[in-house]
């Protein structure tokens, strides 16, 4: 991959530049990451942001030198000796970790610089080009362990050409403006605090948004023939041992112990709980498919350092459901799911970007013949629903293949949200069965599926997608009635009462502030409609509507305003329902 080579070379060229500019700095590791690279350095004095342009300039000079990049293979011990002799003790330590019998490869920039590296690399520093930029500084512990010395990390991004680099920098700038953590604060949606890493304190407005999403998802799945259930949050360890989660997922589970000596685990997922409901009583083939949904909280003990706003949390709810069906129903159920997902994404204003089919991994349950059938069925279902899949070898779970649905947001980023996973193993482990037409017991197939995935993460994605400016039906506050002068306060109160009575989420702002100040403030909070009222509006029974992002005011009668806003605030699925009724 050309970008991978470029980024890897950029990391080396940056390390050379740093060592030329700041003699005595030791290099450690410098991997390629998404969109760029970083390098961790050991240096007494801290780097400052002012150093970055200097390092960039030196990197460009090294590119201009067009130094040939050469690979050499050394005995491992020679590597340890050499790097120690030039004071690169971290590099020497890395090489010491390689078995003594092995050889190491180093990449040299002519005679000017070298690094331990697996490669591959470009043929010369000139081939790197100059479409790179150093983006930020951070601290990082050596080998990621807080007992080790703190190193200094410099991040950069590198691309094939200036146009790609510019587009990337614009995307970052735009993404920063849309950062859901910033908007979460300015819109007063939620906060996170130190004592609850990865846990969300949803404020009234944020929770309104959340409940609006949940209400929408509930209507959609109910319309698609799902039933909703609720299973316990905490279950005995033996239960998770039986389901296989204790063995596979134990590190990510929150464990608790009682005074009576029980060991319990907080559920990381709903699947085994749903099998218990399926197993309760005799099931007949006539009942299948059973589509069982649950929106209860799930807890996963992500490392505290990896949590990130709403996007990576320890506590979440999923729009999770399990479809218990027969082999013959896999294709039709999967197709119906893909159709539902497409429709939900369209309603939410996001675009399905791609669908990937994760195929059998090395370690797996079941025969090759079973896997071939399962993989082909998922692909067939996706095709029937009008989507093409990209096959990803080795990426499936050990118990079955999986469709992954990636959506594209307003600034072109893609997010994997939806999944559909075929599972033959859990029904087997937990002894789920139904009585078939032949009167004998059969195993159902289990389809694990989610459209949004984690609701927290999905809402985070939506906040960034809309940059907080939600369509009216999703907006936590749909309208603020703002008075121009205090003699319109009574009328303002009447207006907000009528908006609320019509089912709109409306608030009143009668503060003694200038109207422009009020408009600016509610615009920052991304309120979609500001209903401005002054004495003239009060006298005429009118209101002036101002839309978020628009300058114009539209003066209409209060009745007309209510009719317009309630129509716009109707969720898209309910609009369809009324249209067909
Ligand atoms: Zn599941």
């Amino acid at each position: 991959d050309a970008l991978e080579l470029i980024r890897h070379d950029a990391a080396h060229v940056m390390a050379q530049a740093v060592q030329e500019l700041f003699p005595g700095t030791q290099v450690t590791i410098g991997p390629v990451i998404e969109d760029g690279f970083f390098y961790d350095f050991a240096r007494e004095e801290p780097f400052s942001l002012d150093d970055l342009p200097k390092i960039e300039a030196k990197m460009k000079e090294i590119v201009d030198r067009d130094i040939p990049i050469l690979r050499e293979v050394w005995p491992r011990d020679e590597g340890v000796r050499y790097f120690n002799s030039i004071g690169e003790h971290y590099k020497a330590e890395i090489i010491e970790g390689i078995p003594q019998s092995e050889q190491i490869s180093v990449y040299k920039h002519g005679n000017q610089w070298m690094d331990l590296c697996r490669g591959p690399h470009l043929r010369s520093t000139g081939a790197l080009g100059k479409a790179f930029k150093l983006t930020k500084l951070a601290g990082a512990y050596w080998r990621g362990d807080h007992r080790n010395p703190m190193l200094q990390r410099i991040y950069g991004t590198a691309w094939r050409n200036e146009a790609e680099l510019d587009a990337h920098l614009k995307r970052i700038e735009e993404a920063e403006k849309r950062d859901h953590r910033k908007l979460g604060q300015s819109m007063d949606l939620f906060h996170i605090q130190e004592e609850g890493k990865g846990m969300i304190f949803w404020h009234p407005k944020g929770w309104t948004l959340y409940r609006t999403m949940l209400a929408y998802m509930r209507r959609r799945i109910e319309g698609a023939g799902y039933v909703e259930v609720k299973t316990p949050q905490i279950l005995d360890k033996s239960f998770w041992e039986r389901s296989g989660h204790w063995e596979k997922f134990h590190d990510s589970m929150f464990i608790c112990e009682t005074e009576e000596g029980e060991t319990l685990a907080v559920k990381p997922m709903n699947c085994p709980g749903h099998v218990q409901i399926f197993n309760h009583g005799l099931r007949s083939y006539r009942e299948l498919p059973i589509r069982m949904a649950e929106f209860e909280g799930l807890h996963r003990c992500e490392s505290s350092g990896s949590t990130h706003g709403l996007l990576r949390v320890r506590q979440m709810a999923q729009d999770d459901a399990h479809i218990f069906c027969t082999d013959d129903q896999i294709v039709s159920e999967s197709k119906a799911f893909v159709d539902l997902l497409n429709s939900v994404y369209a309603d939410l204003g996001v675009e399905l970007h791609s669908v990937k089919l994760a195929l059998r991994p090395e370690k797996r349950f079941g025969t090759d013949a079973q896997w071939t059938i399962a993989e082909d069925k998922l692909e067939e279902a996706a095709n029937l629903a009008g989507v093409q899949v990209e096959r990803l070898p080795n990426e499936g779970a050990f118990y079955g293949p999986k469709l992954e649905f990636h959506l594209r947001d307003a600034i072109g980023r893609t997010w994997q949200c939806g999944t559909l996973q075929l599972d033959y193993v859990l029904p087997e482990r937990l002894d789920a069965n139904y009585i078939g037409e032949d009167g004998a017991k059969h195993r159902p197939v289990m389809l694990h599926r989610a459209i949004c995935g984690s609701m927290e993460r999905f809402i985070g994605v939506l906040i960034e997608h809309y940059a907080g400016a939600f369509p009216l039906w999703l907006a936590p506050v749909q309208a603020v009635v703002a008075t121009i002068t205090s003699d319109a306060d009574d009328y303002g109160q009447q207006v907000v009462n009528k908006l609320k009575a019509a089912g709109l989420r409306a608030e009143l702002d009668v503060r003694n502030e200038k109207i422009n100040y009020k408009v600016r403030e509610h615009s920052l909070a991304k309120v979609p409609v500001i209903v401005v009222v002054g004495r003239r509006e009060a006298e005429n029974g009118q209101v002036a509507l101002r839309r978020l992002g628009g300058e114009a005011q539209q003066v209409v009668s209060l009745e007309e305003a209510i009719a317009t806003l309630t129509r716009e605030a109707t969720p898209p699925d309910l609009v369809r329902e009324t249209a067909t009724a």
Side-chain angles (χ1 to χ4, degrees), residues 269-271 320-322 446 448:
M269 45 188 84
N270 294 314
C271 336
D320 194 17
H322 297 95
M446 207 172 161
H448 307 249

Side-chain angles (χ1 to χ4, degrees), residues 129-177:
K130 293 177 181 173
F132 53 75
K133 186 163 177 54
L134 303 184
T135 49
K136 61 181 175 184
L137 291 170
Y141 291 107
W142 168 234
R143 296 189 187 278
D145 187 332
H146 67 273
R147 287 162 301 195
N148 286 339
M150 174 72 89
L151 305 170
Q152 299 187 62
R153 177 170 297 177
I154 303 179
Y155 284 97
T157 184
W159 298 83
R160 277 174 291 232
N161 52 53
E162 287 293 326
E164 281 185 0
L165 174 64
D166 286 347
H168 172 71
L169 295 177
K170 282 222 181 65
R171 220 159 36 232
I172 292 195
E173 198 185 325
E174 190 53 43
E176 273 167 13
K177 270 192 249 161

